[in-house]
Amino acid sequence: MSEEMSEGGVVKKFMYVNRKAPYGTIYALESLEVVLIAAAFDQDVSLAFIDDGVYQIAKGQDTKNIGVKNFSSTYRALDDYDINKLYVQKESMEARGLTDKDFLVPVEVKTAAELSALMEQQDVLLSF
Amino acid sequence: MSEEMSEGGVVKKFMYVNRKAPYGTIYALESLEVVLIAAAFDQDVSLAFIDDGVYQIAKGQDTKNIGVKNFSSTYRALDDYDINKLYVQKESMEARGLTDKDFLVPVEVKTAAELSALMEQQDVLLSF
Amino acid sequence: MKFGILINEGPYTHQASDTAYQFVKAALAKGHQIQRVFFYNDGVNNATKLTDPPQDDRNIVNRWAELAEEHKLDLVVCVAAALRRGIREDNLATGFRISGLGQLVESGIQADRLVTFGD
Amino acid sequence: MKFGILINEGPYTHQASDTAYQFVKAALAKGHQIQRVFFYNDGVNNATKLTDPPQDDRNIVNRWAELAEEHKLDLVVCVAAALRRGIREDNLATGFRISGLGQLVESGIQADRLVTFGD
Amino acid sequence: MLHIVNKSPFERNSLESCLKHATKGSAILLIEDGIYAALKGTQATAKLQEAMKDCTVYVLQPDVDARGMQGRVLEGVKPVDYAGFVDLTASHNAVQSWL
Amino acid sequence: MLHIVNKSPFERNSLESCLKHATKGSAILLIEDGIYAALKGTQATAKLQEAMKDCTVYVLQPDVDARGMQGRVLEGVKPVDYAGFVDLTASHNAVQSWL
């Protein structure tokens, strides 16, 4: 990222809070589209997957038979954009019977308390 | 209602199932708009208020300060259209600390079991 | 059997229109009749001819229009809901028509089953 | 203080646009600046000039346009979200402009607070 | 009667409300985000298992696949495709969508 | 931090999720259908009272009035108008909307 692209050198902490399942609604996809654009702005970006948001990054998504575009592989591209702070909320993951092996990208599992502490440090929270 | 307006004399049982609070979303209002039109079709119409739907008919609604149209008085007009089977689900009402005195129209309070039995008798269920 | 279909949400934002489309295709393939597809609430937004989704995604509006063409489906957009949301003859896609809410009640009367897809 | 506003739902269907409007009016009355109002997801549907709501109800689109005129507000509609949903220059209401998602991120950077209104 | 639920049991009260009103012998079809209720080993599993004593539960397999939940569906829940969805609506006298 | 909840606690998990993530000393503002969480004598009341030990809870009065819930707001929940809503966002360093 070039220095010029950041607004006068201001670097803010942006957290994208993802709480909804994919495909039933478009929020997961359109949140991801913001994240990809945000990558060009040289800010401190992280993604939190909470509640049904943890389903967004579940392995094995195959949308062929619902006739909707599968966008799950895009999460794998985030690392190429230097976006690698992906947090999964532990309690949400466990309530759904999932483990960190069920995700298609490497994530850090954080308890609600740990995630809350991170949220408190943010300048901007975007939730869809 | 004229005989001609019914489709060859077919009378079906229509139940409108209202489960959402007013104003936060438009579903309560647009459900009511269907009910008013339905009145002209000479069918057997009933309305069920379940879950947050019971809030649709709460007394004392005053929308002046949110700048949104108050449509609650329209429920009072239903009787003029011969629509008078209004059921409130008891458990939903009680969970919200409401009694049948809190509603702006006369209703019959039915338990979930009683309402289920009524639902089973319907030909058409419309839920918004 | 005659099916009436009610769609209450707009394209892309909710899966309702996608699921309804797959349901209608499957019903037609089985030889059932689709008495009418009625678009209400935000469902009216399925009828705008101005959408231009990404190339690699489905085109929901065109998909309905093509299915309607092929099977002579009656795609009806509620006029009151449409006026609130900016759908008029000006931007109405081929294959859809605008009419009153009575068409939905009629669907309930004439169809053997009315199936609702929404949020 | 400079506020950025994000609206994710369309007019009438959800209260989001109403609440955001009341918030913006109150902020302006207190002498705050509105850096930008960004319309995303179904929020882009607030920008169609074709709505014609009942006479006895508020006109959400016009209300935004008038507030923008009076206070020189920057009302930005996301181009990608708009194309999916059928909002283009053809049906864009006065006072709105179509631009990229970068404008939302910029809002997050430039505004002191970004407040989101949605479903 | 056929009951259709399209919402996640973790996010909304639709399934719970459906189960309160589904009489013995009813059919329940889980579609879209509703399929998350059909899975093994979640906090919603017990609720569905309880319901399966009185009702027959179906799940729309294309929605299960889309969400990567293949192989996680609870035993006894019957998978259907869109054609099966059509058959279910045809074979029950009325349909209620718990939106 | 200011947390905003606009959904009914009976319909969705937004309030519950907010409460899990609001740290001690946070402010919570209930707006739109979220105001139903601020009421006395409901099945959601206890949950909010518990939260009020650690957080300050505000409710948007215009939304309370719109829904006819005047006089039902729990003691200790602070009513604000839109101007008060603006003040709350200004006086906290960041805002999270639990949509």
Side-chain angles (χ1 to χ4, degrees):
Chain A
M1 304 291 143
S2 66
E3 263 297 295
E4 299 91 303
M5 291 191 75
S6 71
E7 300 277 330
V10 179
V11 176
K12 284 191 172 182
K13 284 176 183 286
F14 279 70
M15 181 181 274
Y16 292 82
V17 180
N18 301 295
R19 292 184 53 247
K20 295 183 184 162
Y23 308 115
T25 53
I26 204 172
Y27 303 106
L29 169 59
E30 290 195 330
S31 173
L32 190 55
E33 290 183 349
V34 183
V35 171
L36 292 173
I37 297 291
F41 281 79
D42 205 15
Q43 302 289 308
D44 180 344
V45 171
S46 62
L47 276 68
F49 297 93
I50 303 179
D51 297 328
D52 284 345
V54 303
Y55 285 132
Q56 295 180 15
I57 49 174
K59 277 183 188 164
Q61 298 176 33
D62 175 3
T63 60
K64 190 172 72 260
N65 292 326
I66 62 167
V68 171
K69 184 180 137 187
N70 182 349
F71 59 92
S72 63
S73 61
T74 311
Y75 293 101
R76 287 211 199 91
L78 289 175
D79 194 48
D80 301 336
Y81 291 88
D82 286 325
I83 295 171
N84 39 41
K85 282 185 267 190
L86 275 62
Y87 308 120
V88 163
Q89 206 247 45
K90 188 166 185 280
E91 293 85 343
S92 302
M93 179 183 83
E94 290 175 352
R96 288 160 186 77
L98 300 174
T99 72
D100 60 358
K101 301 201 175 32
D102 294 317
F103 301 122
L104 47 77
V105 280
V107 298
E108 288 176 64
V109 177
K110 301 268 185 200
T111 64
E114 289 165 345
L115 204 52
S116 301
L118 282 171
M119 289 177 89
E120 284 289 338
Q121 297 166 16
Q122 304 301 313
D123 297 300
V124 181
L125 294 128
L126 280 156
S127 190
F128 294 97
Chain B
M1 305 293 142
S2 65
E3 263 299 295
E4 298 91 305
M5 291 190 77
S6 72
E7 300 278 331
V10 179
V11 176
K12 284 191 174 183
K13 285 176 182 285
F14 279 70
M15 181 180 274
Y16 292 82
V17 181
N18 300 294
R19 293 183 53 247
K20 294 183 184 161
Y23 308 115
T25 53
I26 202 171
Y27 303 106
L29 169 59
E30 290 195 330
S31 173
L32 191 54
E33 290 183 349
V34 184
V35 172
L36 292 173
I37 297 291
F41 281 79
D42 206 15
Q43 303 290 307
D44 180 345
V45 171
S46 61
L47 276 67
F49 298 92
I50 303 180
D51 298 327
D52 284 346
V54 303
Y55 286 132
Q56 294 181 14
I57 49 173
K59 277 183 187 164
Q61 299 178 32
D62 175 4
T63 60
K64 190 172 73 263
N65 292 326
I66 62 167
V68 170
K69 184 179 138 188
N70 182 348
F71 60 92
S72 63
S73 60
T74 310
Y75 293 101
R76 287 210 199 89
L78 289 175
D79 193 48
D80 301 337
Y81 291 87
D82 287 324
I83 296 171
N84 39 40
K85 283 185 266 189
L86 275 63
Y87 307 120
V88 163
Q89 205 247 43
K90 188 167 185 279
E91 294 85 344
S92 302
M93 179 184 82
E94 290 175 352
R96 287 158 186 79
L98 300 174
T99 73
D100 59 358
K101 302 203 173 30
D102 294 316
F103 301 122
L104 47 77
V105 279
V107 297
E108 287 176 65
V109 177
K110 301 269 183 200
T111 63
E114 290 166 343
L115 204 52
S116 301
L118 282 170
M119 289 177 89
E120 284 290 339
Q121 297 167 17
Q122 305 302 313
D123 298 299
V124 180
L125 293 128
L126 279 157
S127 190
F128 294 97
Chain C
M1 189 168 269
K2 276 191 288 185
F3 285 101
I5 305 292
L6 170 60
I7 300 179
N8 290 333
E9 297 297 332
Y12 304 104
T13 307
H14 295 87
Q15 204 187 333
S17 183
D18 291 291
T19 305
Y21 174 80
Q22 301 294 347
F23 180 92
V24 168
K25 265 210 322 185
L28 292 167
K30 283 184 158 283
H32 293 296
Q33 285 175 55
I34 301 297
Q35 181 265 347
R36 179 170 295 150
V37 183
F38 193 83
F39 296 87
Y40 194 46
N41 299 131
D42 269 5
V44 300
N45 290 324
N46 285 286
T48 168
K49 69 177 173 198
L50 295 175
T51 66
D52 186 10
Q55 293 292 330
D56 58 348
D57 203 355
R58 77 277 192 207
N59 188 315
I60 294 181
V61 177
N62 290 354
R63 227 168 42 173
W64 278 117
E66 286 158 17
L67 199 67
E69 169 79 19
E70 192 182 342
H71 296 275
K72 305 276 164 275
L73 299 184
D74 189 20
L75 307 183
V76 180
V77 177
C78 169
V79 60
L83 283 175
R84 259 191 197 111
R85 293 169 178 86
I87 304 296
R88 305 195 199 178
E89 295 294 342
D90 310 53
N91 58 343
L92 193 71
T94 314
F96 294 83
R97 67 184 177 93
I98 296 177
S99 188
L101 264 176
Q103 300 271 304
L104 169 60
V105 180
E106 198 184 81
S107 220
I109 297 169
Q110 295 180 350
D112 299 304
R113 300 286 183 278
L114 183 64
V115 189
T116 305
F117 297 88
D119 176 29
Chain D
M1 189 168 270
K2 277 191 289 186
F3 284 100
I5 305 291
L6 171 60
I7 300 178
N8 291 333
E9 297 298 333
Y12 306 104
T13 307
H14 295 86
Q15 206 187 334
S17 183
D18 291 292
T19 305
Y21 174 81
Q22 301 294 346
F23 180 93
V24 167
K25 265 212 320 187
L28 291 167
K30 283 184 157 282
H32 292 297
Q33 285 175 55
I34 301 297
Q35 181 264 347
R36 179 169 295 149
V37 183
F38 193 84
F39 295 87
Y40 194 45
N41 299 129
D42 269 4
V44 300
N45 291 325
N46 285 284
T48 169
K49 68 178 175 197
L50 296 175
T51 66
D52 186 11
Q55 292 292 331
D56 58 348
D57 203 355
R58 78 276 192 207
N59 187 313
I60 293 181
V61 177
N62 290 353
R63 227 169 43 174
W64 278 117
E66 287 157 18
L67 199 68
E69 168 80 19
E70 193 183 341
H71 296 276
K72 305 275 164 275
L73 297 184
D74 189 19
L75 307 183
V76 180
V77 176
C78 170
V79 60
L83 283 174
R84 259 192 197 111
R85 294 169 177 86
I87 304 296
R88 305 196 199 178
E89 295 296 341
D90 310 53
N91 58 343
L92 193 71
T94 314
F96 294 83
R97 68 183 177 93
I98 296 176
S99 188
L101 263 177
Q103 300 270 305
L104 169 59
V105 180
E106 199 183 81
S107 220
I109 297 169
Q110 294 180 352
D112 298 305
R113 301 284 184 278
L114 183 63
V115 188
T116 305
F117 298 88
D119 177 30
Chain E
M1 199 164 118
L2 174 66
H3 297 268
I4 302 177
V5 176
N6 74 335
K7 290 295 174 301
S8 160
F10 305 108
E11 189 203 20
R12 302 226 199 167
N13 66 343
S14 319
L15 177 69
E16 207 176 308
S17 200
C18 167
L19 297 182
K20 257 183 222 146
H21 294 92
T23 54
K24 213 176 160 85
S26 297
I28 299 170
L29 171 63
L30 303 169
I31 68 169
E32 301 178 354
D33 290 347
I35 67 102
Y36 294 117
L39 309 181
K40 288 181 281 199
T42 82
Q43 275 182 8
T45 306
K47 194 184 295 176
L48 198 76
Q49 281 176 315
E50 184 61 30
M52 286 166 69
K53 292 178 189 167
D54 286 336
C55 300
T56 314
V57 179
Y58 301 85
V59 69
L60 193 59
Q61 192 63 35
D63 278 321
V64 172
D65 298 343
R67 289 159 180 80
M69 296 294 127
Q70 313 88 325
R72 291 178 182 271
V73 173
L74 202 56
E75 210 170 316
V77 173
K78 303 185 179 181
V80 293
D81 57 9
Y82 290 102
F85 182 174
V86 172
D87 290 343
L88 283 173
T89 55
S91 62
H92 291 83
N93 63 325
V95 185
Q96 157 71 357
S97 295
W98 293 90
L99 302 180
Chain F
M1 201 164 116
L2 175 66
H3 298 268
I4 302 177
V5 176
N6 73 336
K7 289 296 174 301
S8 160
F10 305 108
E11 189 203 21
R12 303 227 199 167
N13 66 344
S14 318
L15 178 70
E16 207 176 309
S17 199
C18 167
L19 297 182
K20 257 184 221 146
H21 295 93
T23 54
K24 213 177 161 84
S26 296
I28 298 170
L29 171 63
L30 303 169
I31 69 169
E32 301 177 354
D33 290 346
I35 68 102
Y36 294 116
L39 310 180
K40 287 181 283 199
T42 83
Q43 274 181 9
T45 306
K47 196 184 293 176
L48 198 77
Q49 282 177 316
E50 184 62 30
M52 287 166 69
K53 292 178 187 165
D54 286 335
C55 300
T56 314
V57 178
Y58 301 85
V59 68
L60 193 58
Q61 191 64 37
D63 278 322
V64 172
D65 298 345
R67 291 160 180 78
M69 296 294 126
Q70 312 90 324
R72 292 177 182 271
V73 174
L74 201 58
E75 211 170 316
V77 173
K78 303 184 179 182
V80 293
D81 57 8
Y82 290 102
F85 182 176
V86 172
D87 290 344
L88 282 173
T89 55
S91 63
H92 291 83
N93 62 323
V95 185
Q96 156 71 357
S97 295
W98 292 89
L99 302 179

